[in-house]
Amino acid sequence: MANKFFHSVYLNGELCKGCINCIKRCPTNAIRVQNGKARIIKEFCIDCGECIRHCPHHAKLTRRDHLDLLEKYEYTVALPAPSLYGQFNNMTDVNLILTALKLMGFDDVFEVSAAAELVSEESRRYVREHPEKWPVISTACPSVNRLIRVRFPNLIDHLLPLLPPAEVAAKLARKRAVERTGLSERQIGIIFLAPCPAKVAFARSPLGIAASGIDGVMAIKDVYQILLSYLPAAEKNPQELASSGKIGVGWGIAGGEAAGMITDSYLAADGIENVIRVLEDLEDEKFTPNLQFIELNACSGGCVGGVLNVENPYLAKAKMKQLNKYLPVSLQHQEDHAFLDSGELYFTEPITYEPVYQLGSSRMESMVNLKLVETYMKEFPCLDCGSCGAPTCRALAEDIVRGFAKKEDCIYLLRDYYDTLKKSQLLQETGNTKKTMEGTPYENPGIDR
Amino acid sequence: MPSLHYEYQVSGDDFTRAGEASSDIKNKLKQMGVSPSAVRKAAIAIYEGEINMVIHAGGGAISVEILPDQIAMELIDHGPGIADIGLAMQEGYSTAPDAVRSLGFGAGMGLPNMKKYSDEMTITSRVGEGTTVSMVVRFE
């Protein structure tokens, strides 16, 4: 089995200055600065990419494939994510982008948005037939799935057990390529052009299926400039390649997947902090019982907000709405894909709870450790300054009981310790405590605890 | 036997803060490795109590004791009290004002849900003095 905590996000240690920007921005408290460099705790990281978005030194990066991957295969198929369409100015025809993809070296293209329409169709059926699972939670955003797996065990049962569109596209694209070329499946490279690190991580270490059908993942931002250079040629001789409508292309922006459910009883939240709040409320059963569907996107704006895109998410959203305006509602229907059994759209592996936040290996040990955490919390200043390398005082306390940190990592406690040492030294020298205490520059009344 | 104690103040005029105690307890129970179903029961029970205190009692205090095998929660308010506890325990019975109902609360499910999601529950109340609800959720 693939490493269940594989991550696409990684650190370039040379660029990292050891500042606290990433640790404060990480929504799952997964980063620590130790010995002057950021370190990702793999059990907590959900590959949302917020650290990449906010690192001022560009030290956080995404593992991904590059163009040389095309040489590995006899025949390659590009799977463009719908958010790719929002990256271009004055784009009126998706065929131009798809033609440019072929001109740049792919043998064929298969739109992820086409597969998305099939997933929408099956989602509608699943939600209709399973009122006991309401509200059904979308599984299209891999970061959200990973978050639920570690933090919201009670919601796992609500997850929509359907493959994300890119995975369905990979299946369909490979079948079509085999039919067209007569090559073996292994000679065909299915390459996803992805908007975010979460989707890169999914292709390497998926949830819901044992192995991904995607052979490689490139970043939209890596192919963007090359595509631009081929657009003029594509305009001269565009090919009819587009095969998806509003519902499919809409998946690229927040609310798009929910719109494809064709129901009013839905909620769509985007931005990881908002997503977490919705999940917290959902766990406490704060929602009306007849809510049918919940779409969640870790990135603000939806997939166009992914950090591997080029364009500002909200501009991309506006452009996609423009592009979408004249498309038909939906161009793909399951009945047109005779070889696609609807069962092939479903998860084959269960998603299971990973209790990574547990503080010990047994209930008793965890409880003793939690008590210890509360004891440390009484000593810490609770400023959440991040100077110790942990994002909050509580995170530091938890790190200490887990054995990753020590109390003196807190600079305030260290200062007090230094202060005490200094006082006792002066006491020895002068024999007068009171005078030296007043004289010490460390008696700062601004720190209240 | 180790035990953990937590105290929470529930503000009487701020709906947005109701849920802070349940969130906090939920995270602690998860860190303790308590089963997801027991975490859910405790969180729902406390949250219903928090909301009740905001709607009916102008706030109150929650005191929580966690043992290795159970969580005991005591919710104390100095609100108007409940005249007929039997009636208040009926599903759908509510004295919540319209303004609260328009926010989606006041469906008359608060106390019934607290009973449903806890393994033990007792209410003592005196009209004009306040209400104390004690609940226990066992972990296994």
Side-chain angles (χ1 to χ4, degrees):
Chain A
M1 188 188 146
N3 175 6
K4 62 185 174 183
F5 294 112
F6 167 83
H7 294 297
S8 56
V9 177
Y10 71 100
L11 179 86
N12 177 327
E14 279 178 30
L15 294 176
C16 178
K17 299 273 186 285
C19 68
I20 61 160
N21 282 293
C22 62
I23 63 173
K24 297 300 273 185
R25 297 285 193 155
C26 174
T28 58
N29 283 352
I31 313 177
R32 303 290 182 271
V33 174
Q34 282 178 344
N35 302 319
K37 301 288 175 193
R39 185 178 71 86
I40 298 172
I41 302 172
K42 64 180 194 305
E43 288 81 2
F44 297 172
C45 173
I46 56 169
D47 289 295
C48 67
E50 288 302 309
C51 54
I52 297 175
R53 199 188 305 279
H54 294 290
C55 175
H57 311 292
H58 308 290
K60 285 277 175 21
L61 303 161
T62 309
R63 269 186 199 92
R64 57 188 189 265
D65 295 301
H66 294 277
L67 264 184
D68 54 357
L69 184 70
L70 298 189
E71 292 155 25
K72 252 183 81 180
Y73 298 96
E74 295 288 311
Y75 187 87
T76 54
V77 186
L79 310 183
S83 43
L84 174 68
Y85 308 156
Q87 308 299 309
F88 304 90
N89 288 325
N90 306 317
M91 179 58 64
T92 50
D93 185 0
V94 170
N95 281 313
L96 300 180
I97 303 170
L98 303 179
T99 304
L101 279 170
K102 288 184 74 171
L103 293 176
M104 74 172 270
F106 290 98
D107 295 300
D108 195 10
V109 291
F110 194 107
E111 294 177 271
V112 171
S113 49
E117 296 190 340
L118 302 175
V119 177
S120 284
E121 187 180 342
E122 193 60 31
S123 304
R124 292 195 291 271
R125 179 177 305 139
Y126 180 85
V127 169
R128 192 174 61 238
E129 290 175 359
H130 294 278
E132 78 283 2
K133 303 282 190 190
W134 290 359
V136 173
I137 303 171
S138 152
T139 46
C141 176
S143 281
V144 171
N145 299 346
R146 284 190 173 211
L147 177 68
I148 290 174
R149 172 179 72 152
V150 297
R151 194 158 150 188
F152 298 99
N154 285 308
L155 302 179
I156 289 176
D157 201 37
H158 290 271
L159 290 173
L160 179 69
L162 292 182
L163 298 178
E167 214 47 62
V168 174
K171 283 191 185 198
L172 293 170
R174 195 179 304 276
K175 277 179 182 160
R176 190 169 82 179
V178 168
E179 279 172 9
R180 283 185 181 176
T181 64
L183 293 168
S184 77
E185 292 200 350
R186 287 178 148 213
Q187 290 170 297
I188 294 160
I190 305 293
I191 296 156
F192 180 28
L193 309 180
C196 66
K199 294 198 196 286
V200 179
F202 183 93
R204 284 282 286 276
S205 168
L207 282 180
I209 40 170
S212 168
I214 295 166
D215 297 309
V217 187
M218 293 183 192
I220 284 178
K221 67 176 187 175
D222 291 341
V223 296
Y224 176 72
Q225 286 219 316
I226 309 167
L227 275 181
L228 276 185
S229 69
Y230 283 104
L231 274 180
E235 272 174 51
K236 276 186 198 136
N237 193 12
Q239 302 174 36
E240 281 295 323
L241 297 164
S243 61
S244 55
K246 270 189 181 57
I247 286 185
V249 174
W251 275 66
I253 55 182
E257 182 191 357
M261 298 303 289
I262 318 186
T263 168
D264 286 335
S265 178
Y266 75 87
L267 173 160
D270 55 307
I272 189 68
E273 299 295 344
N274 297 324
V275 165
I276 290 172
R277 204 171 308 164
V278 166
L279 292 172
E280 287 278 355
D281 287 354
L282 197 56
E283 202 179 37
D284 293 351
E285 309 212 335
K286 291 187 196 173
F287 288 110
T288 49
N290 51 8
L291 184 67
Q292 294 181 10
F293 185 73
I294 296 188
E295 176 195 317
L296 300 171
N297 289 291
C299 295
S300 294
C303 293
V304 288
V307 293
L308 299 182
N309 287 310
V310 180
E311 183 57 283
N312 170 302
Y314 294 91
L315 287 178
K317 199 171 167 178
K319 289 178 187 174
M320 282 181 73
K321 285 202 163 153
Q322 198 74 29
L323 187 67
N324 230 346
K325 212 153 97 185
Y326 302 106
L327 290 179
V329 173
S330 179
L331 286 175
Q332 298 292 325
H333 307 282
Q334 283 180 23
E335 59 193 23
D336 304 330
H337 296 269
F339 53 80
L340 183 85
D341 184 326
S342 74
E344 280 203 58
L345 297 173
Y346 280 82
F347 283 175
T348 52
E349 308 284 321
I351 293 184
T352 46
Y353 176 39
E354 300 288 347
V356 299
Y357 292 105
Q358 204 173 320
L359 287 172
S361 52
S362 67
R363 166 90 49 81
M364 205 54 100
E365 189 192 354
S366 302
M367 203 173 165
V368 169
N369 282 341
L370 181 55
K371 211 174 160 77
L372 213 51
V373 167
E374 308 297 355
T375 315
Y376 288 131
M377 286 303 288
K378 290 194 182 96
E379 292 182 56
F380 290 151
C382 293
L383 296 171
D384 295 342
C385 69
S387 300
C388 62
T392 62
C393 294
R394 189 160 195 100
L396 174 63
E398 290 168 6
D399 286 353
I400 296 172
V401 304
R402 288 191 168 103
F404 303 141
K406 51 193 191 307
K407 226 165 81 176
E408 300 76 52
D409 289 342
C410 173
I411 59 161
Y412 290 94
L413 291 192
L414 188 67
R415 191 185 64 184
D416 286 351
Y417 179 63
Y418 172 78
D419 210 11
T420 322
L421 278 185
K422 200 172 172 214
K423 272 180 216 160
S424 64
Q425 194 185 5
L426 287 172
L427 185 69
Q428 281 171 3
E429 283 171 11
T430 65
N432 184 341
T433 34
K434 201 158 187 185
K435 203 172 157 196
T436 52
M437 270 177 76
E438 280 166 4
T440 168
Y442 292 100
E443 203 177 7
N444 180 353
I447 309 301
D448 179 28
R449 60 171 107 75
Chain B
M1 197 154 65
S3 67
L4 288 155
H5 296 265
Y6 297 99
E7 306 283 335
Y8 302 92
Q9 292 300 319
V10 179
S11 157
D13 52 4
D14 193 351
F15 264 104
T16 62
R17 288 186 53 188
E20 284 181 357
S22 66
S23 266
D24 197 47
I25 288 297
K26 207 161 62 177
N27 290 333
K28 289 176 169 48
L29 295 181
K30 284 177 190 170
Q31 288 189 320
M32 271 176 61
V34 172
S35 75
S37 62
V39 174
R40 175 169 171 267
K41 283 166 65 182
I44 294 172
I46 302 186
Y47 179 64
E48 292 287 352
E50 285 180 81
I51 288 288
N52 269 356
M53 286 177 167
V54 176
I55 296 177
H56 299 286
I62 301 178
S63 117
V64 175
E65 182 189 46
I66 304 174
L67 297 173
D69 58 350
Q70 70 168 49
I71 175 169
M73 300 155 273
E74 194 173 52
L75 292 75
I76 302 169
D77 70 59
H78 301 288
I82 303 170
D84 185 340
I85 291 177
L87 196 57
M89 289 299 296
Q90 279 179 22
E91 291 189 7
Y93 177 81
S94 176
T95 56
D98 287 345
V100 169
R101 287 169 195 258
S102 69
L103 289 171
F105 299 106
M109 292 304 292
L111 286 174
N113 272 340
M114 288 159 81
K115 180 153 187 75
K116 180 177 161 191
Y117 287 102
S118 56
D119 295 307
E120 279 173 37
M121 174 179 154
T122 53
I123 310 182
T124 52
S125 188
R126 286 179 92 97
V127 174
E129 288 181 23
T131 302
T132 297
V133 180
S134 302
M135 296 183 285
V136 172
V137 171
R138 281 186 278 276
F139 297 153
E140 251 84 66

